[in-house]
Amino acid sequence: MPYFRKHRTFKKLNTGRNSTPIETYLRMMYLKHRYQLGYDTLVKEVSDSFKWRRFCRVSLSSKVPDDTTLVKLTNLYGPELAKEINQELVKKLTEKKIIRGKKLRADCKAVEANIHFPTDSSLLGDGVKVINRLVKRLKESGVGAKIKFIEHTRVIKKSLRRLTKFKKLGEDKTKELCRIVIRHTRRTIKRAKAMSKAASRALRNGQVKKTMKAAVGRANQRLKTFVKVTEKLLGQSQEVLKGNHHLPNRRISVFNSKAKPIVTGKQSKKTTFGNKALVAEVEQGIVSQCQVLSGNPSETSLPKGLLKTHQETFGHVPKELATDRGLSSAKNERLAIKMGVKRVSLPARGKRSRKRKEYEQQHWFKRLQKFRAGSEGRLSYLARCFGFDRCLLTGDNGMENWTGWGVVAHNLKKTSILMRAMG
C-alpha cells in the first residue's frame, strides 16, 4: 500500500488488441451489404476514403478493423444481432408514424447457397479434403506422431476427374469409379478417428503445451464434426449405389447442413441449392421480417407464424393481408380471419366455384392483389442490390446472417429516402 500512495501516476500498459467499437462494426456491415463488398475489399475501401472513415467513426490516425476481425465478430454476434437491429428500426419508424403495419404482403425467395453442384462422389471428395487439412494441423502441433496417416486425395481426384470429364461412361464403369471413391473415403475416416482419439488422449494426459492446448482442442473438435459429416455422406453414397435415390434429409453440402434442393420451376434455373427465405413487407416498402426456413417446407403452413411475429412487432395484426397462390389455402384464410385480419386476399388454387369467383372479383381483393405484386419487385431488388441471389457465407448460421444484414441495409437505405422525403 505505501508504494501505491507514493506513486499516484501509473504508466498505461499496452496489452492485447484494441477492441472494435460496435458502432464501427455496424456501419461497416451496412457498407458491406449495401455495396456488396467482400471483407478484404471493404477494409481497403474504408482505409482509402475520408468519407467512409468518417461514416464508420474511424479517425485518420486509427487503424481500420482487419477483415478477419470482422469475420470473427459476425460469427460471434450471430444472426440475432441483425434481427434485433431490424426490429428496433421498425419500432422507431412506427413511433414516428412513418409506417403503421396495417397492410402486409409476403412472398418466398429461394436464396442460393455458395456450393457447387452436389454429386455424391464430389461431396465425399470435399469431406476428405477437410479431414486431411485438420489432421495435418494436428500433426504440425506434435499430436499423433506415431499414427501413420496416408492421404488418398490424389486417387479420389483422379476418379472424380474421370467421372466429370467422360460423361458417356457406361453404368458399370461409373459405379466402379464411385466404389473407388467410397473405399478410399472409408480408409481416410478410419485413420482420422484414430488421430482424433490420440489428440483427445494427449489433451487429457497433459502432453500438449499450454500455448497449443486451445488450438489443438478446436482442431480436434472440428475433426470429429467433419468425420461425422463425411460418414453421413458415405452412407448416402452407398444407398444410391444400391439403387435407393429417394433419401429423406439428404445432405448436399459439407459445410452447410441446412441447404436443400429447391425446385423453382423457372426456365433459366429449375433447381436451386440453398434455402427459402420468407420476406414480409409492410407499407412504404419496409421489410418487417425475414425468416430463413429449414429444409423445403410447404408454403401453405407459413402465415400462422407470419401473423404472430407481426403482432409482436406492431402490437396488432394487419388489417389487410395479401399473398400469392403459393401461400394460399382455405385453412390459412380461416386462421387469418380468426386472428382479426379484416381483409384477406389469398387467391384460391385450382378450379374455383362461382361463389369464389365473385368473392375474388371484389374491388378490395383486386386492389390487394395489385399491392401484393409489388413484393416481386422487392425480392428482385433485394437479389440485385443486397445479395439475396446468392449467400456467400458458409456454416449453419451463414444464410441467416447474410439475409439478416441484407434486410438491415435495405431498410436503412429505404428509411433515409423516406426521412428525406418528409423533410
Side-chain angles (χ1 to χ4, degrees), residues 86 117 235 261 398:
N86 194 50
F117 190 88

Side-chain angles (χ1 to χ4, degrees), residues 121 163 173-183 241:
S121 301
L163 280 168
K173 190 65 178 175
T174 304
K175 284 186 176 181
E176 185 186 339
L177 289 169
C178 289
R179 287 192 186 99
I180 291 170
V181 175
I182 288 170
R183 185 165 62 250
L241 273 180

Side-chain angles (χ1 to χ4, degrees), residues 40-177:
D40 188 33
T41 310
L42 173 67
V43 172
K44 287 177 182 176
E45 291 293 331
V46 174
S47 301
D48 292 343
S49 173
F50 291 114
K51 286 184 179 179
W52 280 22
R53 271 181 172 271
R54 187 178 178 184
F55 175 77
C56 295
R57 303 293 192 265
V58 180
S59 63
L60 293 173
S61 58
S62 301
K63 188 181 175 183
V64 178
D66 197 52
D67 55 339
T68 55
T69 304
L70 295 175
V71 172
K72 287 174 184 176
L73 287 174
T74 302
N75 293 328
L76 176 67
Y77 294 136
E80 292 80 15
L81 179 63
K83 191 176 178 181
E84 285 178 20
I85 290 170
N86 194 50
Q87 285 179 347
E88 287 299 318
L89 178 61
V90 170
K91 285 178 182 176
K92 289 287 183 185
L93 292 173
T94 309
E95 288 172 8
K96 292 185 177 181
K97 297 183 180 180
I98 296 173
I99 58 173
R100 299 176 185 272
K102 291 181 178 181
K103 292 166 74 175
L104 180 69
R105 61 188 180 193
D107 204 351
C108 283
K109 167 78 175 137
V111 184
E112 191 176 359
N114 194 26
I115 57 177
H116 60 75
F117 190 88
T119 61
D120 295 305
S121 301
S122 64
L123 289 174
L124 290 178
D126 293 342
V128 169
K129 272 187 207 173
V130 177
I131 288 171
N132 287 341
R133 192 160 62 236
L134 292 168
V135 168
K136 190 177 179 182
R137 198 176 296 172
L138 288 172
K139 285 271 189 184
E140 287 172 355
S141 64
V143 176
K146 295 181 180 179
I147 295 173
K148 189 178 180 182
F149 188 85
I150 301 170
E151 291 190 10
H152 300 274
T153 315
R154 189 176 176 184
V155 182
I156 291 172
K157 268 186 182 179
K158 192 176 178 182
S159 302
L160 291 174
R161 201 179 298 117
R162 290 187 69 186
L163 280 168
T164 53
K165 191 174 181 181
F166 304 106
K167 294 182 180 179
K168 293 183 180 180
L169 289 169
E171 188 178 348
D172 295 335
K173 190 65 178 175
T174 304
K175 284 186 176 181
E176 185 186 339
L177 289 169

Side-chain angles (χ1 to χ4, degrees), residues 40 185 216 239 251 273 360 372:
D40 188 33
T185 304
V216 170
E239 286 294 319
R251 186 153 185 156
F273 299 100
E360 293 187 8
R372 185 219 64 82

Side-chain angles (χ1 to χ4, degrees), residues 203-252:
L203 287 167
R204 193 167 54 249
N205 297 335
Q207 296 172 357
V208 183
K209 293 179 181 179
K210 287 184 178 179
T211 53
M212 298 290 292
K213 213 167 186 178
V216 170
R218 284 195 300 270
N220 189 31
Q221 190 59 43
R222 282 176 63 81
L223 180 61
K224 287 178 181 177
T225 303
F226 283 107
V227 163
K228 286 180 182 177
V229 170
T230 312
E231 278 183 326
K232 184 173 182 180
L233 295 170
L234 191 65
Q236 287 179 186
S237 302
Q238 289 170 338
E239 286 294 319
V240 171
L241 273 180
K242 290 175 186 176
N244 182 15
H245 296 277
H246 301 285
L247 302 173
N249 300 320
R250 188 171 186 168
R251 186 153 185 156
I252 61 169

